[in-house]
Amino acid sequence: MSDQASNTASPNPYTGSRLRTPWRAVSSQFVFNGMLIGIWASRIPAIMEIHSLDKAELGLLLLAMAVGAIASFPLAGRLSDIYGSAFVTKCIAVTYTFSLMALAFAPNVWMLALALAFFGANHGAMDVSMNAWAGEVETHLKRPVMSSIHAMWSIGAGLGAATGYLAVKLGADPLTHFVVGAVLSFALTFPFATLPWHSNRRPSQKGDPIFPLPKGALILVGLIALSSGLGEGAMADWSAIFLVSVTGVGEAKAALGYTIFSVAMVIMRMIADRVVVRTGPVKAARLGGIVSCLGTLMAILAGSFTLTLIGFALMGLGYAVIIPLAMSRATRDDRLAPGTAIASVATLGYAAILIGPVVIGFFAELVSLRWAFLLLTFLTLIIIALASNLAPPRQD
C-alpha cells in the first residue's frame, strides 16, 4: 500500500473491497476528527474541576487551543500539497490520537495550556488536510459529496460527546476516558482510511508565503466562509442565552436551541449534495443564504420560544451548505494549490467561528442580544451577494 503519486497524475484511488471506498475512506477521518472533539468537549466540566478553573481561565485555555489550530493551517496546507492530502491526514490522525491523551495527563494549568495548543494544532491541521482529500474524492467521483462528508464530522462529534455521558455514568475519570476513547476511535475509523490514494503533489517553491492569503475570487469565497462561520460560532455560544433573554424560558429548554440548530445542519448536509447537483453551487449557496436570513429574522422578530426554535432550525439548514461549498471551491482554485487554498479559506472561516461569539457579545452590550443578531442577518446577505464566486473557475 502506498500513497506515492506523481506531480501530474489525477487523483486515482483503488478500492480494494466493497467496504473501503473513496467516500468512506475520507469520511472515516471526518468522523474520527469529530469524535475526538466530542470526547474533549464532553469532559470540560471535569477538567475544570480537576484544575480548579473558573470560566475566565477556561476561556483563556480555549484560546490556546484556537491559536494552535489557526497556526497549523498554513503548515498543513503546504504539507498536503507536497506529500499528498491522504498521506498527511493519516499521519496527523496518529498524533491527534496522542494529543487527546495528553490533555488528561497534564499535571497543571500551564501544561494543560500547552496540551490544548497541541491538541488544537492537530485538530486544525487535520481539518485542512482531510478537506483537501475530500476535494480530491469529489473530483474523482465527478459529483458533489462535500456536504455529506462534512455531515460525518457532526455525527462523529455527537458520538464522541455521547461517550462522555457513558463515561460519567460508569464513573470513569478523564484519563481513562480519553485514553480508551482515543484508541477506540482510531481503531474503528482508521481501517477505512487505509485505501491507497494517489494525490497530486506540488513541491514547495521559493517565495511561497508562510501564511497564505486568498487571492482573486478566493478572497470572496473566504468572505463567504467567514460570514457563515461567524453565524455558526454565534449560535454555539449565544443560542441558549438568546432563548433565555428573549423568550424567557429556563436553562433546560434553552439548551434545545443549539440542539435544534445542529440537528437541522446534519440533516441538510446529508441531502445537500443532491441539491447542489440539481441547482449548481451558486444557486445552492444563495438558497442557503436566503433560508438562513429568514431564520435570523424569525428568531429576532418572533418573540416566542417555538417560533424562535423554528428560526434556529432554518439557520441550521441554511448555514449547512455554505462551508462545504466554500471548501469545494477552494480545492478547484486556479491560483493556489488545493492544500494552500483550503488553508487560506479555513483561516477566515475558522477564525470567524472563534470571534463570532465575541463580536455578538460586543453588539449585545450596545443594543441588546436580540438586535445584535441582526449582524447575522447582514452576513447572510453577504453570502447571497457573493454566491456567484462559488462557481468553479473556467478551464481555458
Side-chain angles (χ1 to χ4, degrees):
M1 185 181 304
S2 171
D3 279 297
Q4 294 179 349
S6 69
N7 294 333
T8 58
S10 297
N12 182 26
Y14 299 91
T15 53
S17 69
R18 292 182 180 180
L19 190 63
R20 293 186 304 161
T21 66
W23 186 91
R24 288 175 182 170
V26 68
S27 293
S28 71
Q29 297 308 280
F30 274 76
V31 171
F32 172 72
N33 187 286
M35 287 181 75
L36 264 59
I37 283 290
I39 290 172
W40 151 248
S42 70
R43 300 311 299 270
I44 288 178
I47 295 294
M48 289 182 68
E49 183 177 350
I50 290 171
H51 293 280
S52 301
L53 302 173
D54 58 30
K55 291 180 180 179
E57 290 169 333
L58 175 64
L60 290 174
L61 288 171
L62 294 178
L63 180 62
M65 177 177 164
V67 169
I70 293 174
S72 74
F73 288 161
L75 177 60
R78 182 172 295 185
L79 291 176
S80 295
D81 292 334
I82 296 173
Y83 298 106
S85 58
F87 175 73
V88 172
T89 297
K90 287 180 271 190
C91 288
I92 297 173
V94 176
T95 58
Y96 190 31
T97 302
F98 287 104
S99 72
L100 177 65
M101 300 180 190
L103 297 176
F105 281 101
N108 54 54
V109 173
W110 292 107
M111 291 302 295
L112 179 61
L114 291 175
L116 275 170
F118 181 56
F119 180 69
N122 278 274
H123 167 68
M126 190 174 180
D127 192 273
V128 169
S129 63
M130 70 187 186
N131 268 290
W133 187 5
E136 293 175 3
V137 169
E138 189 172 58
T139 298
H140 167 73
L141 295 177
K142 298 179 181 178
R143 57 185 172 86
V145 295
M146 190 69 80
S147 290
S148 62
I149 292 173
H150 274 248
M152 294 300 104
W153 187 92
S154 299
I155 291 173
L159 291 173
T163 68
Y165 174 81
L166 181 62
V168 172
K169 285 293 184 181
L170 295 176
D173 59 13
L175 176 59
T176 303
H177 181 198
F178 285 8
V179 171
V180 174
V183 171
L184 284 179
S185 298
F186 184 86
L188 291 172
T189 58
F190 196 78
F192 291 93
T194 55
L195 176 85
W197 186 268
H198 290 201
S199 296
N200 287 330
R201 296 185 181 183
R202 173 184 174 273
S204 181
Q205 299 177 1
K206 186 177 181 180
D208 283 348
I210 297 176
F211 288 94
L213 295 174
K215 297 179 180 179
L218 208 59
I219 296 174
L220 303 179
V221 173
L223 289 177
I224 292 172
L226 184 149
S227 298
S228 179
L230 198 147
E232 290 185 41
M235 286 299 296
D237 282 24
W238 288 104
S239 57
I241 301 173
F242 186 95
L243 287 170
V244 171
S245 63
V246 175
T247 70
V249 298
E251 184 177 350
K253 281 190 173 182
L256 289 174
Y258 190 63
T259 301
I260 293 293
F261 174 84
S262 300
V263 169
M265 180 171 281
V266 172
I267 292 173
M268 186 61 204
R269 282 183 171 169
M270 294 298 291
I271 64 174
D273 294 325
R274 299 175 188 175
V275 175
V276 176
V277 169
R278 288 177 177 271
T279 67
V282 174
K283 288 184 179 179
R286 283 185 179 143
L287 181 61
I290 291 169
V291 171
S292 55
C293 180
L294 292 175
T296 61
L297 290 175
M298 180 173 286
I300 293 167
L301 301 175
S304 75
F305 176 66
T306 301
L307 290 178
T308 301
L309 285 184
I310 294 174
F312 285 176
L314 290 175
M315 292 168 68
L317 293 174
Y319 285 137
V321 302
I322 305 303
I323 294 294
L325 286 174
M327 293 298 179
S328 182
R329 170 60 180 81
T331 64
R332 292 168 170 77
D333 192 59
D334 54 358
R335 296 195 179 198
L336 296 175
T340 303
I342 286 177
S344 66
V345 171
T347 299
L348 292 178
Y350 196 89
I353 291 175
L354 298 173
I355 68 172
V358 178
V359 174
I360 291 296
F362 173 77
F363 280 99
E365 285 293 323
L366 293 177
V367 296
S368 83
L369 179 57
R370 182 177 196 166
W371 296 110
F373 263 51
L374 274 176
L375 174 64
L376 305 186
T377 305
F378 172 74
L379 292 173
T380 62
L381 298 178
I382 291 179
I383 293 171
I384 297 168
L386 300 180
S388 61
N389 294 280
L390 293 174
R394 293 181 180 178
Q395 301 296 326
D396 296 327

